[in-house]
Amino acid sequence: GAGVSQSPSNKVTEKGKDVELRCDPISGHTALYWYRQSLGQGLEFLIYFQGNSAPDKSGLPSDRFSAERTGGSVSTLTIQRTQQEDSAVYLCASSLVPQRETQYFGPGTRLLVL
Amino acid sequence: GENVEQHPSTLSVQEGDSAVIKCTYSDSASNYFPWYKQELGKGPQLIIDIRSNVGEKKDQRIAVTLNKTAKHFSLHITETQPEDSAVYFCAAKPEGAGSYQLTFGKGTKLSVIP
């Protein structure tokens, strides 16, 4: 079946511009996660959505980062006024329910801020 | 919060030899330990996981062992093949209905030399 999809696969932007990254989770998965992976580093948790509950935004690094999830499915991660240190791979994952721990990852969006 | 340390950061083995990657965690409440494989340009894929009520789990050439007393767990790959070359991440998650956040190690780049 279809896995987690993300778009765009690559994004190059200029410092100061806003970017939007999209995630389509596996159909029926209620939990959705965003992570950031900097070069040579592990995965840094950013934000978590579960159904209609308020999201856990505790991992967002600054108020320039925001995310929403519409209709309990597609999610968009927005970075405003991008900085060079925002350059990274942004990964989205989903799981059937949060108590089912297996998270399935998308291929990621590679963001480069010039 | 949870802290996961992973060693080594890089590992080179000859094809056919075994590879072992070790992780330690800090939160004694953690009870779920997945391993992910990330190939170049792709998102992480779950390859095996273990829960704290099990000491060892095996799936063909891959095995994971868990020592809860010492708070460490290891990934063992036997009869390595070139296609095993990738970055491997360990992770840990505490128990509890509200616990959903995986904490990842920084990854091990495995190179299998033909």
Side-chain angles (χ1 to χ4, degrees):
Chain A
V4 177
S5 61
Q6 293 186 245
S7 61
S9 54
N10 294 280
K11 177 72 176 178
V12 180
T13 190
E14 294 179 348
K15 178 181 173 181
K17 300 282 189 182
D18 298 351
V19 295
E20 285 190 352
L21 312 180
R22 176 187 169 104
C23 172
D24 279 276
I26 294 172
S27 178
H29 280 197
T30 64
L32 186 147
Y33 315 76
W34 282 98
Y35 293 88
R36 179 169 70 176
Q37 184 176 31
S38 300
L39 188 63
Q41 298 296 309
L43 282 71
E44 174 191 11
F45 168 79
L46 296 178
I47 189 169
Y48 160 77
F49 295 90
Q50 166 53 29
N52 295 320
S53 302
D56 175 0
K57 304 179 182 180
S58 61
L60 295 179
S62 78
D63 58 8
R64 296 186 294 103
F65 288 72
S66 62
E68 62 178 21
R69 188 180 185 190
T70 54
S73 179
V74 172
S75 176
T76 301
L77 176 69
T78 300
I79 309 174
Q80 295 179 311
R81 305 181 301 283
T82 51
Q83 302 295 312
Q84 289 183 330
E85 59 262 30
D86 298 334
S87 297
V89 177
Y90 290 83
L91 291 160
C92 175
S94 69
S95 61
L96 188 57
V97 292
Q99 291 77 18
R100 296 291 293 274
E101 297 90 347
T102 303
Q103 295 183 21
Y104 297 90
F105 283 83
T109 293
R110 284 147 193 81
L111 175 66
L112 178 60
V113 181
L114 301 176
Chain B
E2 176 67 276
N3 181 50
V4 177
E5 299 283 341
Q6 183 171 347
H7 300 280
S9 56
T10 60
L11 178 61
S12 291
V13 299
Q14 289 292 136
E15 182 177 357
D17 287 350
S18 295
V20 180
I21 303 170
K22 299 182 179 181
C23 289
T24 60
Y25 61 98
S26 61
D27 188 348
S28 56
S30 288
N31 73 336
Y32 175 65
F33 308 93
W35 285 89
Y36 285 85
K37 175 183 180 183
Q38 187 175 27
E39 297 175 330
L40 195 63
K42 298 183 179 180
Q45 283 194 309
L46 179 73
I47 55 171
I48 195 168
D49 57 14
I50 192 168
R51 287 174 171 77
S52 60
N53 59 343
V54 175
E56 182 174 0
K57 184 176 178 181
K58 190 173 182 179
D59 182 4
Q60 298 183 346
R61 298 186 296 107
I62 295 173
V64 56
T65 58
L66 171 64
N67 184 327
K68 282 225 76 178
T69 303
K71 288 192 278 189
H72 67 69
F73 55 112
S74 300
L75 177 71
H76 304 253
I77 306 174
T78 58
E79 301 172 20
T80 53
Q81 301 168 4
E83 53 264 38
D84 294 330
S85 297
V87 179
Y88 291 81
F89 292 96
C90 63
K93 186 183 82 68
E95 61 188 342
S99 297
Y100 48 81
Q101 192 175 134
L102 284 171
T103 301
F104 287 83
K106 295 198 173 189
T108 296
K109 183 177 181 180
L110 173 64
S111 299
V112 179
I113 304 165

